[in-house]
Structure formats: C-alpha cells, structure tokens
Amino acid sequence: MILALVTFVLALVVAAAVGQILGLRRRNASQRARLLSGLGVEHPETKKIVGFFHPYCNAGGGGERVLWVAIAAIQRKDPDVISVVYSGDTDTTKHKIIQKVKARFDIELSLNTLDFVFLESRHLVEDSTWPRFTLLGQSIGSMYLVWEAMTHLIPDLFIDTMGYAFTFPVVSLLGNIPVGAYVHYPTISATMLSRVESRTAGVTNSAAISSSSVLSTGKLLYYRLFMYYYAYSLRQARFIMVNSSWTKNHVDSILRYTDPLLDAIHLLPPLVLLEILSRKRSDCPKTAQIVYPSCDTRQMAVFPLEGRERVILSIAQFRPEKDHAGQLRSFHKLLEAHPEYKGQGPSSVKLVLVGGSRNVGDATRVEELRLLAKELDIQDQTEFVVNASYPQVLNWLSRASIGLSTMVDEHFGINVVEFMAAGVIPVAHASGGPLLDIIVPLDGEPTGYHATSPETFAEAFHTVFTLSTESDIAMRKRARTWAVQKFSAEEFEKGWDESGWRRWL
C-alpha cells in the first residue's frame, strides 16, 4: 500500500515536470526569434545557435581567453552560427564586454553573431555562498543557474567552458540538446580523495578535518558520493576537450569511475528515475581530447631577449589556489639567503604580482597579501598590479627576467606559456601542466625550472640570475621556440575543430 502511494506521488511529480519541460520548449521558439531579430539576422531559419555557459566571462583570465578565441574562430569560419554566452556579469553590457576582450586579449569580436544572456543567480556558484559542503553547494547552484539560462534560451548546442558538469543532465533533460565541454580542471579528482583518505591538509582539505579521523571519514564518504554523480554528469556530454595531459588523465579516470554499491542503490525507487530519465548512450565519450589553450604569441615573440630587468613576474588571478602567499615567501627566502639582492642597487631584485580581482573576496585577499609582504619586510621590493590592461601585461612581460607560478597541480598554466613566449624564464611548481606539458626539454635542453617549496623556488631564482649571458639567452630562446610551436592560436583552433562540435549541430 505504501509502495503504491509512493509510486503514485512520484508519477504526479514526473507528470508535472514533463509539463513544465514541454512548456519551456514551446516558449523557446519565440525567445529564439526575438534574439535573432535583435541581432538583425537575415534568414533566421538557416542559423544555428551555440550556447556557451561561462558565468564569469568578464573575469579576464586564461579560461576566458579560451572562450573568446573559440568564439572568434567560429565567427570567422562559421558565419551561420550564432554564439550566445550565458554570463552572470549583470553589472556590464555586451559592448563593454567586447571592449574588454579587445583591451585584455587583443581579440576582435563581431557584434553581429554574438549575444549574451545575463543571469541573476550567479551568487549560487560563489564559494562564499557555501562555506560548508562547498563542492555540493556550488554544483547544486550551477544546476539552478543553468535552469535559469534555459528559461531564457535553449540553444542548438550547449558547451560548458567553465567546468560546471552538473549542468549537463539538466540541459539534456530540459532542452533535449547535445552537450559538449572544455574542461580546465576536474571539480573533484582521485587526488582529492586520496588526500582526504591520507588526512593530508591542503587547499581542499582543511587542517581541522585532516586532524580528525571522524571528520575525515565523513568527508571521504561525501567525496565518494560526489565523485559518483560527477562522473555520471560528465558522461552526459557528447564530446569533452581538456587543456592538458594532467587534466586528461584525471577526466579519463573519472569517465571510467564506477561504484557497484551506488549502482545497485540506483536500481531502487526513487533513484531509479534517474536511470530512466538519463539515456545510456553509446556515444558517451570514453576519453577526453587534449586541446591546449591558445596563447597569443605574436606580440610576445618579438620582445628582445637581452637586457632584461631583475624582475620576478607573477601573472595570475588573485584566487586562493594560485598561492600568492607562497610567492611572497619564496621571494623572502631569496632575499634572506642572498642579501645582495636587497635594496635598490644594480643587483637588487623586484617581485611584481599582476592579477585580476573578480570580487570582494579577491580584493580582500590582495590586502592580506600586502600585509604579508610588510610582515616579511619585502614590501619595498614588491609591487601589486591589480586588473592590469593587456598593454600593461605585455609591458611587464617584455621587461621581466623570471616568470613565477606557485600553484600546486595547475591544470595547464597559460601564464607559464606567456612567460616562455615572451622570453621570460619560467619557474613553476613541479606538478600539473607546467610539469607535464609546458616546461619540458627542447632538444634535450631545459626551457625553465621546477620547484616545490619556498627554498627550492628561491634556489631556482638564484640560478637564473647567475646564468652566464650565453646560457641565459639560449634558455630564453628555447622557451620561446617551444611556446610558439606548441601553444599558438592556430594549434588551438585546429584542436577545437577536431573535437567534432559541428556534427552535433
């Protein structure tokens, strides 16, 4: 009797949901016509719409550059395709975003085949909204955010370019359209699970949890459930591009992830509905395709290699995982071990931190970093350049000697590529993309350095500053050659086209 009642209630819920979905799809025809009319499109019946889900499209980081290079390529090669960006940047306009893209990345975008859908619920994917169970909260928030996106417009093809995989089942269900993805880094990985299991403290595992066996056990169960549904969501995509070998290895392992116990539980009501609603397709990707992010090497590759200033340059958004505090401590260790680099003389060294500040959290972080620099007594030789324009970034790249990246498990490291293209010798953490894909030998000779601690970073800095002139120029030349050959816009566009996105239109 109880089972029959539960089944009846679930049937009513499903019927109501189906009614809502059909209504949403019917309204989409008029919404689509209104968008195309606003763009002044002739023969709208011949046009296809590709929707890009990128709530922070105006942030100005490496992930945003991937988005704009992809759209610029589509505009150039596919004039019958309209690109629509789902953005949470409600404090700006289409024209201002396009102007910023030009100023920050020197990328020209056409007004005629690009439009934006501005979303009001972006706060639901902010980490500050979810101080506890952040991954779960942000993922649920992304599902609501993409529901809001679909109520405004259902495209012909949906491509997530920020890493919100939990949007895939929602889009598939609401729009009945194909989904693709460009993944910069996995939301969760086997490495994160192992850190919790081994009770290792870090950015994703606080000391309060790692020091408690009870909390660690609870978090491990939480991560296990999250990994299961994350893998389920990724498998809803028709094609997946990733930005590096490190990301590919993790995404491939997630696509293969299974949990027999949870599989069995999903055969019971009400979870069996998930199996009914989701179509087990034979065309689910088994592996991801590496498409290295585009780096505009044209302007950087003409900077002179000689006469570099004694500047250690960091280019990274002021986010926690970028570990700017580690950069300050590494610089402090250099000055501590080599006092000749202190002061304002000809041997003095300067640390310059260039980065974007997206919100109040980032701005607060910058102020905390300024206080740390003062505490370490390096403030006189440290400069912060917040929200720099593209010409400012290029200016620093043309002058600096060393490019610094301290993020652990950096998924790719487009800033490291920019260093190399500009002839700046990179020193990056020995993990992720900088280790596997970017700072690798060319013809058996090094193109930069890796480090793992403030002490080893400081040692690498000293090594660069004491290279002979001949060795210094030779390394800068090798680094530039590798970056220009491997990470150009042309190589990115080739990989993007080979993903097969067009066939899903």
Side-chain angles (χ1 to χ4, degrees), residues 393-404:
V393 173
L394 291 177
N395 180 47
W396 281 112
L397 285 168
S398 70
R399 297 160 55 188
S401 289
I402 296 174
L404 173 60

Side-chain angles (χ1 to χ4, degrees), residues 56 121-145 164 222:
Y56 293 92
S121 307
R122 190 178 71 179
H123 64 279
L124 293 177
V125 297
E126 297 271 2
D127 52 4
S128 59
T129 303
W130 311 97
R132 297 289 182 271
F133 297 101
T134 306
L135 289 180
L136 178 61
Q138 288 180 303
S139 297
I140 293 174
S142 73
M143 296 169 77
Y144 182 88
L145 190 62
Y164 292 110
Y222 163 49

